[in-house]
Structures are given as structure tokens and as C-alpha cells.
Amino acid sequence: MNISLICFTKAGAALCVRLMKGLSKSGDTCEGFGPEASGLFPMKTSLKEWTREQFDKKEGIVFIGATGIAVRAIAPYLKSKDKDPAIVVLDDLGRFSISLLSGHLGGANELATRAAALSGGQAVITTATDNHGKFAVDLFAKEQGLFITRLEKIKEISASLLKGEEVGLFSDFPVEGNLPEGLLKDVSTTPSIYISIKKHPGEERVNSLLLVPKIVVLGIGCRKGVPFETIKSAVDQVLMDWNINKESIAVCASIDIKKEELGICEFASHYGISFVTYSAEVLSKAKGEFTSSSFVKQVTGVDNVCERAAIVCVEEMGGGKLFIKKQPCHGVTVAAAIRDWKVKI
């Protein structure tokens, strides 16, 4: 985790240094800010401006001081529980380590617990599901690498579990392990949880919290100079035709002669995914049956780009299968493979 820490007193500075050392040993990247002569980075802006900058670039912020200071500092920049960084507050003696914001998705509960262990103090966790020992669906989604499509449903599911009600779990993928108390596999409840790559889960799951695994690999081929808008339009059309949620896309792939193709590069950046490429030689060794084109082979040296690139990439990710064969659209070809994946509880 990339963390900024800030303190306001001499005692807080000593605690800040201790926390930074301990957190760094665990693999976190830490920057500490404090008063002059503390050995920490000096504050060059107001606390309000400093906090704004940290919200934009850090995964966690630790305030060592009064809770009120932290609350007033972060208030203008709060967005949502899936976007806000983890916020933790410690008193300058390290007696209490409070998870203030983004306890589950942001990791503040875990960070507060680790900070308490380093300071010798008490972690203060106020999340109801944690304190009552109930299943926390947002934490589960984070651990499984699942995108949460309807954040408001988290509250409904937590409320049901806290009342002692059971919640149904549906999955298009194998579920390995014992379900936590309160979850029932394939039993209809309102609300329920549904794990799928589908954009529209169907009427029977319309009230479900849809959790989307990022396990789809797009293979893309195109003529030289095809603009970003055309590539995006082609991909969007394929996703719509096959009822695939765009949040399931993990990576896009093509042939190496397209590694600097501006339209594909812009598409990958727009979706926030990686763009990988392979040589014609590597693509030609891909295993499976592919849609062959003599024209494509003449131009690229291999009879198919999008299908082969998708399957080569998914094999590098641990294995999978091609589930959307070449779909041509406005000079762009799109294929998709899906990684072998299961829910591990």
C-alpha cells in the first residue's frame, strides 16, 4: 500500500517514524510529514491542500493527532467507498488506532490493526459486520478481485446478515470452500449475491448484488490508423451482443506490429487495462481452431490475430478458453477468451 502519514507534535513525530519503519518492512511505501526538526518531510502547503494531494495519489492516509483534525481535513474530498483511500487516525501516544474511512474496500481496518500492533495500542474498528463476526461482502469482493456494480446493495446485504437473515449466493463459476454463516448457495433471497461477467444478469437476478471478476482477455486486430473511437465502438458492440460487462476485461492483446497502434493504445488507456503484444511466430504456435484469413496472413505473417492473441494471453494467465470468435466491425476484429477461474472461500 502507498501510504502518507502526517503528525503535528514531537510525540507524534516519534510515533510516525516508528510506524513508517514497521509498515515499510511489510512492503508498504511510506512518506511521513511533520513539524520542522522532526526529520520528516515539512509541510509546504495548508493541511487542506496537502490532504487533497494525498487523496489523488495515495492508497492510505494516516493522521497522528486528533480525530477532529482528520475529519475536517478529509471532508471536502470524500467521493465514495470504492474510491476513497483508507483513512486511519492515531493519537500521538499510539494508544488508539482508529479505522475512520474505507474500512473494507480501502483496507483501513487492516491498516488500523497493523498500526496498532506497531504502536502497542488498541485498534478501533466500528464496522458492524466485523464486530458481529458476520460475512462482509465488500471485503469478500476485494479479496476475490471482484468489481462491485451496485454499491448500495452492500448495505442491504449487510443489514440482512446482521438481522440474522440468510442471503443467497449464485455464481457462474465453481465455488470452492465452505460458505460463511448466513450465505446459502443457489437459494433465492432478496437481496442476493451473483458472481458473473454478464452485463445484464436476467430478471431472476435483478435484485442481486452483481460481482464481476476481471477474467476476460480481448484480442484485437485492426487496419493501420483506425481511430480510438472506431475500436471502442467495435468492442462495445461485441460486449453488448454477448452480454459481457466491460468491468470483466482484464487485458487486451494483439500482434507486435500493433504495439504502437495509437487507437488500441488509447483504448487500453481508456479502459484502464494493459495492452500486450506477441510476435507472429508466437501467435502461430497457439493451440486451437482459429478463423483463418489469407489476407491477414499476407499482411502479418499469421492467419489470425485477434483469436490467437486472446488465447496466447489467457494461457499466460494460467489457462482458459476462447469464447467469442472473431467479430469483424468497421475494420476492427475482436475476439475474447476467458481465464479459468473459481471462487475460493
Side-chain angles (χ1 to χ4, degrees):
M1 183 180 279
N2 195 4
I3 304 169
S4 282
L5 301 90
I6 186 167
C7 58
F8 309 97
T9 66
K10 183 177 179 180
L15 177 58
C16 184
V17 171
R18 194 189 336 161
L19 291 176
M20 289 174 62
K21 288 181 179 178
L23 293 171
S24 297
K25 287 181 180 178
S26 299
D28 298 295
T29 301
C30 300
E31 285 187 327
F33 296 79
E36 293 184 9
S38 66
L40 303 170
F41 289 118
M43 288 284 290
K44 296 182 179 180
T45 62
S46 66
L47 179 60
K48 180 179 179 180
E49 180 62 23
W50 179 89
T51 304
R52 184 193 66 78
E53 292 176 358
Q54 308 315 307
F55 257 67
D56 289 339
K57 63 183 181 180
K58 299 293 185 177
E59 296 170 288
I61 305 174
V62 177
F63 289 85
I64 302 174
T67 305
I69 293 175
V71 170
R72 291 186 177 88
I74 67 175
Y77 311 112
L78 302 181
K79 296 176 182 177
S80 63
K81 66 190 302 176
D82 63 329
K83 294 182 174 63
D84 296 330
I87 305 294
V88 172
V89 182
L90 289 91
D91 63 278
D92 68 0
L93 295 179
R95 292 177 298 182
F96 299 101
S97 177
I98 305 168
S99 174
L100 187 65
L101 186 72
S102 295
H104 285 159
L105 292 181
N109 287 0
E110 179 188 2
L111 180 57
T113 301
R114 291 196 289 137
L118 292 169
S119 70
Q122 172 67 51
V124 180
I125 309 297
T126 58
T127 315
T129 50
D130 291 69
N131 291 335
H132 289 270
K134 298 294 185 180
F135 172 75
V137 67
D138 46 356
L139 183 58
F140 167 77
K142 180 181 179 181
E143 292 171 345
Q144 297 283 331
L146 304 171
F147 178 81
I148 303 171
T149 61
R150 300 170 67 184
L151 287 171
E152 71 277 6
K153 285 290 181 182
I154 294 175
K155 184 177 180 179
E156 293 181 31
I157 290 169
S158 296
S160 293
L161 292 170
L162 288 167
K163 287 188 291 186
E165 299 172 354
E166 293 172 323
V167 172
L169 172 67
F170 299 85
S171 176
D172 290 340
F173 307 93
V175 177
E176 189 177 84
N178 297 320
L179 292 185
E181 181 182 355
L183 293 191
L184 296 176
K185 184 76 166 62
D186 299 330
V187 175
S188 292
T189 62
T190 301
S192 61
I193 302 166
Y194 183 33
I195 302 173
S196 176
I197 64 169
K198 293 177 181 177
K199 172 67 173 177
H200 303 290
E203 186 175 347
E204 71 281 3
R205 299 277 75 81
V206 72
N207 289 317
S208 296
L209 169 63
L210 182 61
L211 303 178
V212 184
K214 287 186 172 293
I215 55 175
V216 172
V217 175
L218 290 181
I220 300 178
C222 68
R223 291 197 291 263
K224 186 176 181 180
V226 173
F228 156 74
E229 292 80 7
T230 302
I231 292 173
K232 181 179 182 299
S233 177
V235 171
D236 288 347
Q237 184 64 53
V238 171
L239 297 180
M240 183 177 68
D241 290 345
W242 288 78
N243 192 24
I244 304 299
N245 196 307
K246 68 179 182 179
E247 299 297 343
S248 68
I249 302 172
V251 62
C252 64
S254 191
I255 192 168
D256 59 0
I257 60 174
K258 295 294 180 182
K259 64 182 178 181
E260 295 182 357
E261 187 70 42
L262 186 59
I264 304 180
C265 292
E266 288 185 9
F267 169 82
S269 177
H270 176 79
Y271 270 84
I273 59 177
S274 300
F275 174 37
V276 298
T277 60
Y278 304 95
S279 67
E281 181 182 4
V282 170
L283 294 181
S284 67
K285 295 177 181 178
K287 296 179 181 180
E289 296 182 2
F290 305 102
T291 308
S292 180
S293 167
S294 57
F295 174 76
V296 171
K297 186 170 185 178
Q298 181 182 355
V299 174
T300 67
V302 64
D303 64 351
N304 181 290
V305 169
C306 61
E307 293 176 1
R308 289 180 177 273
I311 204 66
V312 168
C313 184
V314 83
E315 286 296 330
E316 287 187 344
M317 297 169 69
K321 63 181 180 180
L322 192 70
F323 77 107
I324 301 178
K325 295 185 75 68
K326 181 172 77 173
Q327 307 289 305
C329 185
H330 306 303
V332 180
T333 58
V334 181
I338 186 167
R339 181 165 63 89
D340 292 334
W341 185 78
K342 63 180 65 175
V343 183
K344 296 181 179 180
I345 299 178

